[in-house]
Structures are given as C-alpha cells and as structure tokens.
Amino acid sequence: MADKDQQNKSDNRISERERFRYIGFEVFPGKPKDLFRTDAEKKLYVDSVIEKRSHGDLLRHQCTLTEERVTLKEKLILTLACVVILFSLFIPWYSAYTEIVDKNVAATTVFDENAPVVSDSLAPVSPVGDSLGQTAAAVEPEGTANPDSVKTFAQEATSHEEVIHGMQAKRRVRKEYERLSGVGAILALGSVGSYIFSSGFILVITAILFLVYTLLCIGLPLFNLYNIFGMKGKEDDKALTLKKYLKWNWIPVILFVFTLVLSFFGANYAPDAVGTFTSIGVSYGPAVFLDSLSWGIFITIGAFILLAVKGVEI
C-alpha cells in the first residue's frame, strides 16, 4: 500500500522540462531559449553577481525592498497640501447674501393707426381738424413755408391715431454678499455665535463641529509637516510612523460628512436671526448648509483627502 502511494506521488511530480516552461509567470509552449546570447555575456553577469555577494549584498537587481517608501517628490506634494490647508484659513469659508430689489420705471408709447379717436392719457391733445392744420402751418417761418412739407404734416396729423402712454415697472434683484474666512469665523464668534448658539440643537452641534474642524485645519498640517521632516530614525520606521499619522487626516473629512448628514434633520433659527440674510431662509436645512459654504472649505477637504489617501498607500 505504501509502495502504491509513493508511486502515485512520483507520477504527479512535475518534470524538469515542464518546470522550465514557467519563467516569470509566463508559459512557453516549448523549450525556453537560453537567457544569454553569448558566453561572454553570461560570464559578465556571473562575475557581477559574485562581486555583489562578496560585499554582503544578497538582494537581486531592482528589488522593491531597496526603494524609498516615501520619495522626496511625494514629501514635497504632502508639504504642498499642508501649506494649502494653512493658507485656506485666510480665504472665504462661509458666505451669505441679502437680496435687494431695485425698481426702474420706463415709459412706453404705442400708436394705433386704426383707432377712431385721438387721445392722450397723460396730456391734452388738440382736436382733429382745422386746428391741426393751423398748427402745422405755424411750424414753418413766415415766407419760407414749404407747401409739400405742410401738406404732409397735415395729412399725418389728421390721420386717426390713438397715442397711448404706458408705464412699465422693471424689477431688478441684486445680491449683497458677506463672507467669512476660517480665521474670521473664529474671531466672529462673539457676534455671530450669539445667533447660532441660541438656535436649534442641530445648528448648535454643527457650529461646534465646524469649530473643531477649523482647529484641525491649524493643528493637523503642522503635525503632518513634523512627521514628514522632523522625525528621527531609520527610513522604514519613519515611513511607518508617517503612514500611521497620515490616516488622522480622515477625521476632518468624517466631520464634514457628519455635519452634512445632520443638516437633513433641520433646525429653527433664533428669533433675532430670522430675516438677517435672504440666503438662510426661514429654517436650517441641507440647502442652506451647502449654500453657506464657500470654496475655501472645499479646498481643505480635497487636501485632507490627498494626505489621508497617501497614508493608505505607504
């Protein structure tokens, strides 16, 4: 029985000829070609391997273990992302506007040639007839009257036309914006905070979370810069530590998504806050949340995602 099992194992073994068909995960249909074109090329390669091993280097050429985990180029990109976050604190983060209505009145005149009477809704008009002819004749200076011109004027004047004067009001709406930067929002807590913290619970929680988000935009970039350039030790240890701390950049992104979800529950404003800006409406909701954010905060979101994704990649 043991001999039979041993014979089955030997039958299932791959022969040397079949083994050489698999080179670099590619299958060759026949016998593989020689790796070296000439004996001199083979001798040169063998000598280089012997010399390499004599120095204690046992790794193969182009081994990924010898590559830098975080290259200088990647460090510069991470540094740029941190600088962008810090710079964004001084550009608009929040915006609100008030709609102001301007009314312009324009006069219009309509001529109706088929009307049976001559009338003017704003000023009296002389009756049609000889008086119009007299008026036409009085237009030309004495002794220089042109009969054709007088006749033409009289015909136009005696034609049945109704002159209608109308007034048309044109409504124009313009928006006056007020914007706050990230730093400006912190400085404005004394004035704006009284409206927010006296509003609904959801709006109060949102304001607190955005305050934490703003502080993270100050602390996390500085902490990232220290981990990129300030750490001591071996390159592998520094890379693993950087990988660990770059994942912290997901925290602001999660806070932003969480505040967006909270906005769907809505909240009422404080009585004093109602009517301060047209853009905030009469109650807080997702539309107000997104409309109140300016481009500065979206730049920080993109930079935090870039930093966090690199932490996953290392």
Side-chain angles (χ1 to χ4, degrees), residues 102-208:
D102 295 333
K103 290 184 179 180
N104 295 329
V105 179
T108 58
T109 303
V110 180
F111 294 94
D112 187 0
E113 296 182 355
N114 298 321
V117 294
V118 178
S119 64
D120 190 342
S121 59
L122 296 182
V125 181
S126 300
V128 179
D130 295 337
S131 61
L132 289 178
Q134 294 172 1
T135 304
V139 171
E140 296 292 337
E142 186 177 356
T144 59
N146 187 347
D148 295 333
S149 63
V150 173
K151 180 179 179 181
T152 303
F153 181 82
Q155 287 178 352
E156 291 178 354
T158 57
S159 63
H160 295 290
E161 294 181 355
E162 181 180 5
V163 182
I164 303 174
H165 295 276
M167 308 297 290
Q168 182 179 6
K170 295 183 179 180
R171 183 174 180 270
R172 186 181 65 180
V173 179
R174 57 186 176 89
K175 298 178 181 179
E176 286 191 354
Y177 282 88
E178 289 193 19
R179 296 178 174 87
L180 281 176
S181 64
V183 175
I186 297 177
L187 299 177
L189 282 177
S191 57
V192 181
S194 59
Y195 294 113
I196 296 176
F197 292 106
S198 58
S199 300
F201 177 73
I202 296 297
L203 195 55
V204 173
I205 295 298
T206 301
I208 294 174

